[in-house]
Amino acid sequence: MPPLLFYLFVLITLGFGLNVVIARNPVTSALSLAVSFVGLASLFLSLDAYFIGVLQVLVYAGAVMVLFLFIIMLMDIKSEEAGGRANMAAIIAGVVVAGILSVQVATISGKLPFSDKSTETAALKLAEAGAQWEAKGKENLPTISRDLKAGELPDAKLMGETLFSKYAFHLQVVGLLLLVSTVGVVALSKRDNKEASSQS
Amino acid sequence: MITLNHYLVVSGILFSLGLAGVIARRNILIIYMCLEMMLSAGNLALVAFSRFRVTDGLPDYTAQSLVFFTITVAAAEVAVGLAIIVALFRTKQSVDVEAVTKLQG
């Protein structure tokens, strides 16, 4: 990816991320967060993680943010009153802690063993990987090695292969977690029968 | 030239923005949005590490699987958290964190 595009997407991600924190109206915050997530998805695409990028747009920018907007609409929240009732101590603490953390990350990240690798110096060797896939024999999935030999990165296929072979059990645990959270949400938002009948 | 370092710094700044929001804001919904932002910053670092740790000519898909699980858990967490916020709003008629002081000593 050209450096100019990288900086453009970083600007979108961080700029709208900042707007989430400073905007007074919750609807502005939610929409800014959606745009920030789309910028982040473009960064994922620049890292050859196409599946994760699409997932980011579908799940975060799509489902999660729509849920947030729906709740904001349901509660009919007005934007925070314009008076300076904001807690100055909390704001100063937030800015200071965040500043210290980002300086720490910036100083440490340059000292990692392979932090100076770029997409050029750490290039993917697709043809080589394709040959290795074919050599696997019985476990070989023909579509993956065919795509790799054609010079394409079958991102979603490789992801699925990893998830369903190496992490098959974890995948089922996550499925169970989703079921439990669905039941939990229903239990949390169900009104008591007595309360409902007394109100109607 | 864009290196791993660039991505890590972006991830760190995004995480710090979320952290600042969690500490400074009082609207519980915006605090929740900032939590999502911090999770996404973690995902960015993981995906960057996965891309630059090339094994057998391919990115390391273990890290991307972890990102997949993070996104799933975050979605579940948002559903439960928003249900709790709605229940809170029903009893307090407010989304201000300072309206919830029952457990304060």
Side-chain angles (χ1 to χ4, degrees):
Chain A
M1 177 186 254
L4 196 66
L5 274 181
F6 172 81
Y7 288 117
L8 176 72
F9 289 132
V10 166
L11 203 66
I12 290 175
T13 309
L14 294 183
F16 282 93
L18 182 66
N19 199 30
V20 173
V21 179
I22 59 176
R24 288 209 158 265
N25 192 338
V27 179
T28 315
S29 286
L31 289 176
S32 303
L33 191 57
V35 178
S36 171
F37 280 157
V38 172
L40 199 62
S42 338
L43 288 181
F44 287 159
L45 294 189
S46 79
L47 286 166
D48 293 320
Y50 304 106
F51 182 71
I52 297 293
V54 170
L55 214 61
Q56 175 86 8
V57 172
L58 280 182
V59 175
Y60 271 119
V64 168
M65 291 329 294
V66 167
L67 201 61
F68 266 107
L69 283 171
F70 195 75
I71 295 293
I72 293 171
M73 183 200 77
L74 206 68
M75 291 183 180
D76 193 21
I77 299 164
K78 302 286 180 294
S79 58
E80 269 172 45
E81 53 284 351
R85 224 161 55 79
N87 191 348
M88 274 321 279
I91 290 175
I92 292 168
V95 170
V96 168
V97 170
I100 291 173
L101 186 69
S102 43
V103 168
Q104 270 186 331
V105 170
T107 41
I108 291 171
S109 68
K111 289 173 185 148
L112 288 172
F114 49 102
S115 66
D116 54 343
K117 272 192 187 175
S118 72
T119 35
E120 285 87 40
T121 51
L124 301 177
K125 299 183 193 83
L126 296 179
E128 229 173 76
Q132 281 201 346
W133 264 97
E134 221 170 32
K136 269 192 177 177
K138 226 179 172 186
E139 296 168 39
N140 166 40
L141 291 176
T143 55
I144 292 182
S145 46
R146 200 189 309 133
D147 283 2
L148 283 173
K149 277 187 171 171
E152 294 164 5
L153 179 65
D155 189 66
K157 288 174 191 167
L158 284 166
M159 191 77 198
E161 201 273 336
T162 316
L163 278 178
F164 283 101
S165 60
K166 214 169 164 188
Y167 299 108
F169 174 69
H170 308 70
L171 197 68
Q172 294 184 33
V173 172
V174 162
L176 191 68
L177 176 80
L178 282 176
L179 176 69
V180 169
S181 71
T182 313
V183 173
V185 168
V186 172
L188 270 175
S189 30
K190 193 167 152 273
R191 281 166 188 258
D192 288 335
N193 276 335
K194 276 184 218 157
E195 193 191 329
S197 57
S198 66
Q199 276 186 352
S200 59
Chain B
M1 201 158 69
I2 308 301
T3 60
L4 172 63
N5 198 6
H6 289 75
Y7 285 100
L8 291 183
V9 170
V10 171
S11 159
I13 294 174
L14 196 62
F15 190 91
S16 308
L17 273 176
L19 187 63
V22 169
I23 296 175
R25 293 304 298 257
R26 290 181 316 161
N27 187 329
I28 202 163
L29 274 166
I30 291 178
I31 289 178
Y32 220 67
M33 287 180 209
C34 291
L35 278 179
E36 293 305 309
M37 214 153 80
M38 289 159 80
L39 275 171
S40 295
N43 284 349
L44 179 61
L46 273 173
V47 172
F49 279 128
S50 138
R51 172 61 184 79
F52 291 107
R53 189 178 184 276
V54 179
T55 42
D56 297 342
L58 288 174
D60 191 343
Y61 276 94
T62 304
Q64 292 198 22
S65 307
L66 187 56
V67 172
F68 177 84
F69 291 131
T70 319
I71 290 178
T72 321
V73 171
E77 174 225 322
V78 163
V80 175
L82 282 178
I84 292 175
I85 290 175
V86 168
L88 196 71
F89 184 73
R90 249 195 239 143
T91 51
K92 296 277 179 190
Q93 296 300 314
S94 165
V95 285
D96 196 317
V97 280
E98 281 164 26
V100 194
T101 50
K102 207 161 196 175
L103 284 181
Q104 210 170 55

